[in-house]
């Protein structure tokens, strides 16, 4: 049969697009190359990493924090196999959930590698060597992204690993060297540091977490160093010698200088991600890409080729699962004749280290570069009653408001449950709210959210509890 919509890829962008399109009455088929739905995020990315982050934090708390709360449990014993089994169970529940939702919404699927095969057609190469052709009025490319390679370093997913291999180690490495101080490197580095690894991070830039507000990033680095993670900033890895029992990593200053050899047991390459566009037949179909290999689309997510759309990591913008989801909903609504839209000024970003880091909107660096006059309101969690009770006093909330209008332009949080608290700032910004608006809204006491209220009060006038 011919479908209204064929989607290549079942990650967050693809599966959400499929479900929303089906809800709107379109006939939908999803082409997925892997054995399970959910893409990188559900299978080897967001979901399994959060499972390990949570369980490693519990292990850390049992070993170092329980006593301070009057809880005596003795020295905890790590059962890594059981911890990994929990991770796998969480993954299985999530990918099975997507399969259930497809069935519930009558979304068809076919397993295999999809590629464009002419107007309104997708060719699917199956594992058994056969091919199936899918016809559809519209095609959405939602193939996501893959780990970016490091020149001169071969990833074997055993000793030199990407994020995929780092989520499946069978033992705790004595030493772990992470290449890249971005979100993935710091999150996975934190997991293995808590479980007993000596973790060293090598970063090309002069700071960690590029794109995050500078003040937040600087304090985050100090906290991570206090937790035992070492940093080599303005440094680059030029090679890895895997011939011996220990990996010998060559590190040199980015500005040039003497090479340092660092011995380690595992190397995690986490220098970013690149669009997954190989084998899609983009060139043959005449689909334009930019200088970074991302598919070029217009405001309605349509490529220069009629009937072909693209969303998520394979197009420009932050490589975030929730950004892909919103684009999936938008393109489904557009194809159904509605006015799909994504507010790119209100897309939150979260780093699941401990403490968590979350932001939405512009940073101080962004505002200065744009020449926008702004006010800053800050409130530390050390002055928040709930955070004190939890023993989670590190970090702060920062609210940035337009100096003339008081409209909130950015919210930055480092502290307990920052990933949950950022939703308050996101909703406020989506409705063009002011710092005064947020500061005047009643917040339950005692809660962590009061720190957000106090920071808003500080941006507008003055905080009450500081």
């Amino acid at each position: 049969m011919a479908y209204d919509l064929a989607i290549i890829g079942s990650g967050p962008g693809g599966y959400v697009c499929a479900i929303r399109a089906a809800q709107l009455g379109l006939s939908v088929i999803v082409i997925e190359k892997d054995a399970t739905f959910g893409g990188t995020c559900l299978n080897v990315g967001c979901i399994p990493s959060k499972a390990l982050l949570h369980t490693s934090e519990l292990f850390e708390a049992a070993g170092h924090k329980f006593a301070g709360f009057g809880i005596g449990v003795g020295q905890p014993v790590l059962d890594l196999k059981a911890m990994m089994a929990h991770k796998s169970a969480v993954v299985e529940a999530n990918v099975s959930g997507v399969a259930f939702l497809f069935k519930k919404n009558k979304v068809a699927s076919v397993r295999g590698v999809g590629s464009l095969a002419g107007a309104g057609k997708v060719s699917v190469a199956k594992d058994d060597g056969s091919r199936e052709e899918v016809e559809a009025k519209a095609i959405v490319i939602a193939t996501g992204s893959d780990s970016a390679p490091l020149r001169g370093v071969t990833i074997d997913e055993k000793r030199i690993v990407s994020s995929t291999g780092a989520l499946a180690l069978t033992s705790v490495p004595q030493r772990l060297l992470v290449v890249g101080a971005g979100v993935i490197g710091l999150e996975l580095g934190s997991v293995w540091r808590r479980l007993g690894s000596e973790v060293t991070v090598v970063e090309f830039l002069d700071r960690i977490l590029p794109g995050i507000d500078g003040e937040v990033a600087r304090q985050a680095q100090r906290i991570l160093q206090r937790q035992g993670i070492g940093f080599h900033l303005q440094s680059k890895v030029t090679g890895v010698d895997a011939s011996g029992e220990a990996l010998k990593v060559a590190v040199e200053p980015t500005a040039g200088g003497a090479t340092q050899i660092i011995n380690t047991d595992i190397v995690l390459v986490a220098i970013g991600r690149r669009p997954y566009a190989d084998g899609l037949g983009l060139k043959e179909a005449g689909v334009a890409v930019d200088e970074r290999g991302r598919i070029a689309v217009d405001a309605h997510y349509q490529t220069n080729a009629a009937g072909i759309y693209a969303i998520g990591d394979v197009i420009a913008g932050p490589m975030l699962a929730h950004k892909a989801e919103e684009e999936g909903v938008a393109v489904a609504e557009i194809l159904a004749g509605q006015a799909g839209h994504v507010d790119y000024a209100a897309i939150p970003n979260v780093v699941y280290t401990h403490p968590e880091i979350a932001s939405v909107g512009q940073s101080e660096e962004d505002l200065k570069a744009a020449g926008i006059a702004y006010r800053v309101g800050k409130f530390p969690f050390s002055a928040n009653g709930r955070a004190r009770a939890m023993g989670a006093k590190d970090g702060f909330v920062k609210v940035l408001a337009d100096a003339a209008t008081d409209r909130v332009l950015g919210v930055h949080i480092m502290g307990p449950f920052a990933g949950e608290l950022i939703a308050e700032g996101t909703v406020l910004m989506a409705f063009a709210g002011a710092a005064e608006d947020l500061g005047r809204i009643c917040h339950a006491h005692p809660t962590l959210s009061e720190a957000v209220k106090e920071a808003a009060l500080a941006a507008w006038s003055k905080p009450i509890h500081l």
Side-chain angles (χ1 to χ4, degrees), residues 48 76 118 124 130 138 162 185 199 224 257 264 292-293 303 331 366 380 433 451 464:
V124 183
S130 65
S162 68
V199 177
L224 292 171
T264 190
R292 295 173 59 181
T303 70
V331 76
D366 295 331
I464 299 296

Side-chain angles (χ1 to χ4, degrees), residues 36 123 216 232 314 361 370 376 379 411 413 428:
T36 54
S123 177
V216 174
H232 292 266
V314 81
V376 181
F379 192 82
V411 178
I413 305 173
L428 181 80

Side-chain angles (χ1 to χ4, degrees), residues 11-27:
Y15 85 72
V16 168
C17 181
I19 293 169
R20 183 58 180 148
Q23 289 174 344
L24 294 171
L26 303 183
S27 57

Side-chain angles (χ1 to χ4, degrees), residues 390-426:
M390 295 166 59
K393 298 185 292 181
D394 282 336
F396 59 94
V397 180
K398 177 196 285 190
V399 173
L400 305 175
D402 188 286
T405 67
D406 195 39
R407 179 176 177 174
V408 172
L409 304 175
V411 178
H412 306 272
I413 305 173
M414 179 170 60
F417 298 103
E420 309 297 331
L421 294 174
I422 199 63
E424 185 169 4
T426 305

